[in-house]
Amino acid sequence: MFGLFKSTPPAYHNLTAAQFAEGVRRSGAVLVDVRRPDEFAGGHIPGAVNIEVTAPDFAQRVAALDKAKPTYVYCRSGARSSKAAAQLSAAGFTQVYNLPGGVLDWPQPLTR
């Protein structure tokens, strides 16, 4: 009976920094920085929108995004973005990509 219960793999994909960089350059990709606004202001990946994952309105704000577009999420080190990616997948986003090493692994310059 126990064999019937399988753990479900995450509905999002972890990418290397190179894969993530390639993905966010694609037309139609949505890039979401889930850090606090002060962290975002200190430097973020160009083109990112800031939607803080720990904010009370996170679910409401991401609901305004197009669920069918490839959605790339990141934070400082990958912990918060993993949680955000899981929430996006659970909310019906079909193409969710996470940067597990966060901006600490980002090889290109950040913008302010």
Side-chain angles (χ1 to χ4, degrees):
M1 207 57 167
F2 291 104
L4 297 175
F5 298 102
K6 295 181 181 175
S7 77
T8 349
Y12 63 89
H13 304 279
N14 286 320
L15 301 178
T16 65
Q19 292 169 322
F20 196 88
E22 183 182 323
V24 298
R25 283 194 298 265
R26 292 194 178 129
S27 176
V30 177
L31 179 59
V32 182
D33 183 323
V34 298
R35 299 176 299 159
R36 294 185 321 267
D38 62 308
E39 292 176 286
F40 182 81
H44 55 272
I45 297 174
V49 294
N50 184 215
I51 305 176
E52 182 184 357
V53 69
T54 57
D57 64 346
F58 177 76
Q60 180 182 351
R61 291 188 62 201
V62 295
L65 301 175
D66 186 340
K67 293 180 180 182
K69 288 188 175 182
T71 305
Y72 293 80
V73 295
Y74 72 93
C75 62
R76 179 182 168 274
S77 64
R80 287 174 283 177
S81 61
S82 293
K83 290 177 185 173
Q87 289 179 39
L88 289 168
S89 296
F93 285 76
T94 56
Q95 302 174 70
V96 180
Y97 304 96
N98 179 44
L99 181 60
V103 292
L104 294 177
D105 278 357
W106 187 249
Q108 299 167 20
L110 299 175
T111 190
R112 291 177 190 260

